[in-house]
Amino acid sequence: MSTLIPFSQTIRERTRAIHTKTEGAAFIAELVDGKRSKEDYAALLGQLSFVYEALERVAEALRDDPVASPFVDEKLTRLPAIEADLEFLIGRDWRDATRPLPATRRYVERIEEMAAWPGGFVAHHYTRYLGDLFGGQAIRAVLQRQHGFDTNGVGFYIFADIAKPKLFRDTYREQLDSAPWDEAEQERVVAEVANAFALNGALFDDLADATAVRVA
Ligand code: HEM
């Protein structure tokens, strides 16, 4: 019976293949291989500034929504860290040098649409924040080693208020398991997680096109 499988496990299993594909996008694979410059990393963070601005704006709008609110947690908030990293990497005028790529615009538009569908918002929330809490740590380690960053520049990957990421993730999964979605809506949520991965993949592909590979 499908009800025996926790929904959080269903999401993870049904999106495993697209996780692997997204993780393997050339831009990310090269970043993890230490083949991307500091400027390229700043370009990634610049695009993510638009994504998190939208995600955290919609989170604020859904703060009192009964479905979305258990997931909205200030400990996750990333935009201030992204802004501080960009100031460190580019300078105070980083905004002048930062424009959303077409795929970033599409991703932001989709997040904004989720203000009308809390389950879809959770799908986007899950895809980015749990990814940052886990896969993001591997990226941080490479960046710190490659560019000599301590914490400045990689604040995006540092969740200072989450002492135990695994415990946090387990609680998050329990919230996914107890969200009041019927089977039809669970299907839509899984599909939206897959869509969120695809939107990330498209963003990475746009970034690869927009930046020349500079072998370190
Ligand atoms: C270098 C790239 C990446 C690596 C090495 C990586 C690695 C990992 C690992 C090892 C986990 C499992 C953590 C655990 O269960 O203990 C994980 C989970 C996750 N990653 Fe990634 N990841 C990468 C990129 C991404 C990207 C780009 C996204 C989405 C934009 C993403 C989204 C997720 C999500 C949502 C989870 C949570 C799965 C769950 O527990 O339900 N990851 N990642």
Side-chain angles (χ1 to χ4, degrees):
M1 234 164 62
S2 66
T3 47
L4 292 176
I5 300 172
F7 181 52
S8 58
Q9 192 180 327
T10 302
I11 298 183
R12 198 161 68 256
E13 285 171 4
R14 300 251 317 262
T15 58
R16 186 165 287 150
I18 194 157
H19 177 284
T20 305
K21 184 170 183 243
T22 313
E23 183 188 333
F27 187 92
I28 293 299
E30 288 160 7
L31 194 71
V32 173
D33 277 353
K35 290 184 181 147
R36 285 290 178 167
S37 66
K38 214 186 280 193
E39 289 75 17
D40 293 344
Y41 166 56
L44 168 64
L45 273 185
Q47 296 308 305
L48 291 180
S49 73
F50 300 108
V51 171
Y52 283 85
E53 190 281 323
L55 205 48
E56 290 169 8
R57 177 159 39 86
V58 175
E60 193 54 43
L62 292 176
R63 183 172 284 280
D64 296 325
D65 177 88
V67 174
S69 62
F71 297 92
V72 177
D73 187 333
E74 273 161 24
K75 295 191 194 75
L76 291 170
T77 306
R78 295 292 86 201
L79 187 58
I82 294 174
E83 292 176 341
D85 287 341
L86 284 166
E87 196 167 321
F88 173 78
L89 293 164
I90 298 177
R92 294 187 73 91
D93 58 352
W94 65 268
R95 281 174 212 276
D96 299 340
T98 308
R99 294 281 174 273
L101 292 165
T104 305
R105 284 183 199 277
R106 288 196 296 278
Y107 189 2
V108 164
E109 274 167 27
R110 187 63 186 159
I111 292 170
E112 287 173 340
E113 284 168 17
M114 298 301 107
W117 175 32
F121 164 76
V122 172
H124 283 268
H125 188 275
Y126 162 84
T127 307
R128 280 296 341 173
Y129 292 112
L130 258 60
D132 300 334
L133 265 172
F134 290 96
Q137 302 312 305
I139 298 177
R140 164 161 71 122
V142 170
L143 291 167
Q144 286 178 313
R145 203 167 50 238
Q146 184 186 354
H147 302 299
F149 296 139
D150 180 16
T151 54
N152 285 331
V154 287
F156 169 62
Y157 296 107
I158 299 172
F159 290 84
D161 298 328
I162 300 179
K164 296 187 170 150
K166 285 202 162 54
L167 188 66
F168 186 93
R169 191 251 328 262
D170 290 346
T171 306
Y172 196 103
R173 284 187 181 153
E174 282 163 20
Q175 287 165 352
L176 287 171
D177 295 341
S178 57
W181 298 316
D182 60 17
E183 269 187 46
E185 185 158 9
Q186 286 188 341
E187 276 299 311
R188 291 175 64 212
V189 171
V190 171
E192 193 59 38
V193 172
N195 188 34
F197 271 105
L199 288 163
N200 276 279
L203 188 158
F204 300 146
D205 290 348
D206 264 15
L207 258 178
D209 288 345
T211 53
V213 180
R214 285 173 278 252
V215 178

